[in-house]
């Protein structure tokens, strides 16, 4: 009576991934995965042409894999488990090895996971940010420090891709270490290597230090604030074909509604200082904004801001009315919103005289209100100050401007040695590659 060999009697299993069937020996899965071993430890019926056996025994009764597992991903795993040529190393693309890494984690296939990690190392050597992301995603601890080490040493600055792949804390800490690496050039002719290049010595310092450098040649372009085209948010009355009234020299009372309060004032200062109001007041069929039908100002304008502007446009009868910094800030917000260029300029000057706000406040207002002078000043401070950029600045700046600031911070601290050991600071074209002789283990240990 013949019997089945314990090791070499292969029983097939049929799987379905998407709309594709796979027939493979069950041992190929059970010997690599405790998940499948537990699932298949009970005796399974052999496959039958009619498909009347148990799950996985026939084409009509396959083991249906979850929707998250594609046919391509399962096929990539089988290329490792069931190689066509077992005497040669399995050749898969980087994308296939990533699919294998995902399934090996899902099904606890430790040997397969190790093989995937080994093959991916070479593919990811020039993409440290992606390597870091995969290390975090798949808990590959041995990849984290090498990935960050490579990211910090390379000459190329951090880009949008790095900030998309790394979390913000890690990206900013990596940037802080990058800018603490100092290349020091010897400028005398006695310090050239055999290739004719100047010898560079690198140092890693605890902090970058304050930089005294004029960045007037660097252009910091202030973002254009959003426009507010419509002033009349309650324009339900149809415009008549009446005569056009001059927007600059036709003065009458206007009732404004801001939040839950009404304000009745002459329209002349608004028409005089604001092209936006001139356009509104000079429209054909201009209606009277009275108590029954006021000019409704949008909810983004507060009563405090509006009253501050009115205090400026309609001052008390005193020689030099005093306005607080908060009042001038309110005036600036509305002057920018309503295109009052002269009022806006005066508000900026008054706020500068009072040394108003922190760098973050000025940076936010500069971007929101289009104050180029403040934006350039704030960006120069961010680039030259000792403290590295933090989450507050990261959230205030657009990605492009954040990357511009980080790149400049890395390049402006470069110091050159000349003559008898003096130093000067200049803006280099690039930071350069940090050599292996600079030990990054200590600063990296603080956030790995």
């Amino acid at each position: 009576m013949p019997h089945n060999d314990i090791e070499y009697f292969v029983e097939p299993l049929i799987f379905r991934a998407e709309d594709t069937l796979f027939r493979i020996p069950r041992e190929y899965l059970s010997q690599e995965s405790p998940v499948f071993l537990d699932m298949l430890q009970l005796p399974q019926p052999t496959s039958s042409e009619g498909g009347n056996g148990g799950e996985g025994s026939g084409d009509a009764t396959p083991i249906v894999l979850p929707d998250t597992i594609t046919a391509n991903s399962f096929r990539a795993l089988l290329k490792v488990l069931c190689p066509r040529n077992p005497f040669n190393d399995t050749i898969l693309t980087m994308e296939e090895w990533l699919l294998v890494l995902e399934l090996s984690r899902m099904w606890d296939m430790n040997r397969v996971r190790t093989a995937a990690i080994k093959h991916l190392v070479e593919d990811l050597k020039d993409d440290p940010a992606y390597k870091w992301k995969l290390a975090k995603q798949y808990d590959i601890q041995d990849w984290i420090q090498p990935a960050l080490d490579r990211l910090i040493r390379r000459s190329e600055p951090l880009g949008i891709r790095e900030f998309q792949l790394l979390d913000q804390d890690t990206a900013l800490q990596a940037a802080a270490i990058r800018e603490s690496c100092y290349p020091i050039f010897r400028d005398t002719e006695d310090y050239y290597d055999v290739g004719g290049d100047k010898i560079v010595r690198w140092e890693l310092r605890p902090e970058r230090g304050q930089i005294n450098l004029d960045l007037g040649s660097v252009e910091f372009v202030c973002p254009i604030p959003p426009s507010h085209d419509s002033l009349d948010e309650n324009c339900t009355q149809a415009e008549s074909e009446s005569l056009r009234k001059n927007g600059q020299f036709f003065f009458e009372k206007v009732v404004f509604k801001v939040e839950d309060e009404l304000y009745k004032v002459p329209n002349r200062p608004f028409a005089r200082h604001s092209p936006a109001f001139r356009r509104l007041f000079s429209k054909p069929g201009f209606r009277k904004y009275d108590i029954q039908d006021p000019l409704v100002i949008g909810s983004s304008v507060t009563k405090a801001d509006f009253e501050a502007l009115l205090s400026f446009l309609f001052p008390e009868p005193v020689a030099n009315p005093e306005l607080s910094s908060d009042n001038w800030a309110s005036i600036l917000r509305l002057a920018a919103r309503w295109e009052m260029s002269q009022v806006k300029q005066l508000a900026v000057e008054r706020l500068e005289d009072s040394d108003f706000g922190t760098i973050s406040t000025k940076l936010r207002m500069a971007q929101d209100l289009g104050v180029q002078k403040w934006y350039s000043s704030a960006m120069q401070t961010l680039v030259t100050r000792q403290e590295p950029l933090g989450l507050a600045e990261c959230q205030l700046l657009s990605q492009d401007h954040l990357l511009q600031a980080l790149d400049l911070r890395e390049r402006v601290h470069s110091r050159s040695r000349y003559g008898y050991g003096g130093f000067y600071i200049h803006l280099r074209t690039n930071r350069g590659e940090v050599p292996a002789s600079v030990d990054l283990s200590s600063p990296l240990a603080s956030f790995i």
Side-chain angles (χ1 to χ4, degrees):
M1 181 74 179
H3 63 277
N4 299 338
D5 185 90
I6 296 176
E7 294 187 33
Y8 296 104
F9 188 83
V10 177
E11 296 182 81
L13 279 175
I14 298 177
F15 290 85
R16 178 179 172 182
E18 297 182 304
D19 58 354
T20 304
L21 295 177
F22 297 85
R23 185 190 295 264
I24 61 172
R26 69 172 60 212
E27 288 78 6
Y28 281 22
L29 291 173
S30 61
Q31 70 185 0
E32 295 292 346
S33 168
V35 176
F36 278 101
L37 181 62
D38 292 343
M39 184 179 74
L40 303 174
Q41 63 183 350
L42 295 177
Q44 297 291 322
T46 57
S47 61
S48 61
E49 294 298 328
N52 296 322
E55 186 179 21
S57 62
D59 292 355
T61 56
I63 297 174
V64 180
L65 297 175
D67 293 340
T68 55
I69 300 176
T70 66
N72 284 338
S73 63
F74 194 58
R75 185 180 297 109
L77 176 66
L78 295 182
K79 287 182 180 180
V80 179
L81 297 178
C82 317
R84 294 191 175 216
N85 189 344
F87 300 104
N88 293 331
D89 193 17
T90 305
I91 299 177
L92 274 69
T93 65
M94 175 180 169
E95 289 71 23
E96 288 176 319
W97 278 118
L98 289 173
L99 295 173
V100 171
L101 183 62
E102 172 64 30
L103 294 187
S104 66
R105 181 187 64 164
M106 181 184 300
W107 290 329
D108 293 337
M109 296 178 170
N110 291 330
R111 291 200 303 174
V112 176
R113 168 186 160 88
T114 300
I117 291 172
K118 174 185 174 183
H119 283 85
L120 285 168
V121 167
E122 182 65 21
D123 292 327
L124 296 170
K125 67 178 182 180
D126 294 325
D127 197 349
Y130 189 38
K131 187 175 183 179
W132 180 92
K133 177 180 173 63
L134 293 174
K136 288 291 187 179
Q137 182 177 349
Y138 296 108
D139 192 26
I140 309 173
Q141 293 299 316
D142 291 343
W143 280 7
I144 295 178
Q145 180 161 338
L148 293 174
D149 187 279
R150 177 62 190 139
L151 195 65
I152 292 168
R153 291 185 189 278
R154 74 179 193 186
S155 176
E156 298 79 17
L158 300 183
I160 291 177
R161 176 174 172 79
E162 283 69 40
F163 273 83
Q164 290 172 339
L165 294 174
L166 306 176
D167 62 63
Q168 284 189 340
D169 280 333
T170 301
L172 291 175
Q173 289 184 75
I177 299 176
R178 282 178 60 88
E179 66 190 32
S180 296
C181 298
Y182 280 74
I184 299 178
F185 289 81
R186 293 183 180 273
D187 289 339
T188 61
E189 296 182 358
D190 298 334
Y191 296 98
Y192 285 83
D193 61 19
V194 292
D197 297 324
K198 286 185 180 180
I199 296 175
V200 183
R201 180 169 61 85
W202 286 83
E203 294 180 359
L204 180 64
R205 303 191 177 187
E207 57 189 18
R208 188 191 73 152
Q210 184 81 17
I211 299 299
N212 182 20
L213 181 70
D214 180 14
L215 295 176
S217 60
V218 179
E219 185 178 15
F220 298 107
V221 180
C222 182
I224 300 174
S227 61
H228 301 276
D229 295 330
S230 177
L231 279 166
D232 186 359
E233 299 193 7
N234 191 32
C235 190
T236 57
Q237 179 178 333
E239 294 181 352
S240 68
E241 296 299 325
S242 62
L243 293 175
R244 181 184 181 92
K245 297 176 181 179
N246 188 282
Q248 187 172 0
F249 297 107
F250 191 90
F251 311 123
E252 56 187 53
K253 296 288 186 181
V254 175
V255 176
F256 292 89
K257 181 177 181 293
V258 182
E259 296 185 40
D260 59 351
E261 201 134 335
L262 297 176
Y263 301 84
K264 187 175 183 180
V265 292
N267 72 346
R268 177 177 180 177
F270 293 91
R272 177 182 179 184
H273 292 290
S274 168
F277 277 105
R278 280 203 298 276
R279 291 192 296 268
L280 176 66
F281 294 157
S282 64
K283 288 196 305 186
F286 169 75
R287 73 174 193 267
K288 292 183 178 180
Y289 293 101
D290 53 23
I291 294 178
Q292 286 71 36
D293 188 17
L295 173 52
V296 179
I297 302 300
S299 58
S300 59
V301 175
T302 67
K303 289 190 293 186
D305 284 353
F306 192 66
E307 289 172 9
L309 180 64
L310 293 181
S311 298
F312 171 74
L313 296 177
F314 306 99
E316 295 291 335
V318 294
N320 295 299
E322 292 292 335
L323 295 175
S324 68
S325 295
D326 289 340
N327 291 147
W328 281 114
S330 294
I331 292 169
L332 175 59
R333 281 191 285 269
L334 295 191
R337 180 186 182 93
W338 292 332
E339 305 171 36
M340 298 177 172
S341 58
Q342 291 181 323
V343 178
K344 175 181 174 181
Q345 181 59 36
L346 180 60
V348 168
E349 293 173 0
R350 291 293 183 269
L351 286 171
E352 288 178 344
D353 291 341
S354 63
D355 195 23
F356 169 73
T358 64
I359 182 175
S360 294
T361 302
K362 288 184 176 180
L363 187 60
R364 183 185 297 108
M365 292 184 70
Q367 294 182 103
D368 292 345
L369 307 177
V371 185
Q372 176 65 52
K373 182 179 181 181
W374 284 4
Y375 189 76
S376 297
S377 174
M379 287 292 288
Q380 175 145 338
T381 300
L382 288 180
V383 170
T384 57
R385 76 180 189 189
Q386 174 173 315
E387 298 80 17
L389 270 66
L391 282 176
E393 291 85 13
C394 184
Q395 292 165 355
L396 280 176
L397 295 171
S398 68
Q399 259 189 343
D400 288 343
H401 292 137
L402 172 64
L403 296 177
Q404 181 187 21
L406 291 176
D407 177 44
L408 287 170
R409 282 183 63 88
E410 291 179 4
R411 294 192 286 123
V412 299
H413 72 230
S414 304
R415 302 190 175 193
S416 296
R417 175 172 293 170
Y418 65 96
Y420 296 98
F423 289 94
Y424 69 92
I425 303 174
H426 62 156
L427 185 61
R428 296 182 64 215
T429 54
N430 58 68
R431 189 196 67 153
E433 186 90 5
V434 179
S437 58
V438 177
D439 184 9
L440 300 179
S441 58
S442 179
L444 281 174
S446 63
F447 69 101
I448 290 179

